Amino acid sequence: MTKSSRKQRLSVYLDPAVMNRLAEHAARRDHSRSLVAEAAIESFLSPDAAEKQEAAITKRLDQLDRRMTRLERDVGIAVESLAVFIKYWVSTMPTLPEPAAQAARAKAGERYDQFVTALGRRLAKGPKLRQEISEDMNDSEHQDSRTRGE
C-alpha cells in the first residue's frame, strides 16, 4: 500500500493589497487562504483555462453577433417602412394653390413641433413600437387559439 503524497510547503511574497484580497475572499468563503491560493494556482496552470476563457469569449461574441443581426434587420425594416410611407404620401398628396400652401406650411410647422414633443415623451417614457407590436401579436395569437378551441 502506497502512502498518499503529502502537500508540499511553498512560501511566496505577495503585495499587501493582494494579500488583503486573498484574506477577504477566503473569509467570505469560509476557506483557508492556502486553499484559495492553491485553487487559484491550479486554475492558472490548468491547460483548460485558456480554452474555457476562449469558449466564454466566443459565446459572448456569438450573442453580440445575434444582437447586431437583429439590429440590422430592425433598422432595415424601419428604413423600408419610412420609404414606403414617403412614397405613398408624396404620390397621394395633391398640390395646393399658393394661399392654401402658405397656411398648410404654417400648420405643418405646428404639427411638426407637436410630433417632436410627442416623440421625445415616447422615447423617454413610453413603450417602444416593437414592444407594442409583439404585445399585439401575442394578443391576436391568444385570441386565435381561443377561437380554435385550443
Side-chain angles (χ1 to χ4, degrees):
M1 181 174 191
T2 61
K3 198 177 205 183
S4 64
S5 63
R6 291 181 44 169
K7 291 187 178 187
Q8 296 182 359
R9 181 179 176 92
L10 172 68
S11 294
V12 295
Y13 293 96
L14 300 175
D15 285 341
V18 175
M19 185 62 166
N20 287 339
R21 288 177 48 208
L22 174 64
E24 289 171 2
H25 184 81
R28 274 195 313 268
R29 302 279 191 224
D30 198 26
H31 294 304
S32 68
R33 291 182 295 182
S34 179
L35 182 65
V36 173
E38 181 181 3
I41 293 169
E42 181 63 35
S43 174
F44 182 78
L45 296 176
S46 170
D48 293 340
E51 291 174 7
K52 287 179 183 177
Q53 187 176 16
E54 183 179 343
I57 291 171
T58 302
K59 181 179 176 184
R60 183 71 174 138
L61 286 174
D62 287 343
Q63 289 172 344
L64 289 172
D65 184 51
R66 284 192 300 275
R67 287 180 184 169
M68 285 297 294
T69 301
R70 270 186 262 134
L71 184 61
E72 288 173 352
R73 185 203 65 201
D74 291 350
V75 168
I77 290 170
V79 167
E80 287 299 317
S81 298
L82 182 60
V84 168
F85 172 77
I86 290 171
K87 184 176 180 182
Y88 173 78
W89 185 78
V90 168
S91 65
T92 59
M93 213 46 198
T95 56
L96 299 172
E98 190 51 40
Q102 290 174 352
R105 277 192 287 276
K107 191 66 174 172
E110 291 174 27
R111 288 181 177 169
Y112 179 74
D113 291 341
Q114 291 171 349
F115 167 76
V116 169
T117 303
L119 178 63
R121 269 195 318 268
R122 179 149 180 136
L123 290 174
K125 298 178 192 173
K128 305 292 184 258
L129 177 63
R130 92 184 120 95
Q131 291 170 329
E132 287 182 355
I133 290 172
S134 66
E135 289 170 3
D136 290 346
M137 293 300 291
N138 289 339
D139 289 345
S140 66
E141 288 172 4
H142 182 66
Q143 287 175 348
D144 289 346
S145 66
R146 281 192 305 193
T147 14
R148 288 190 302 247
E150 293 177 2

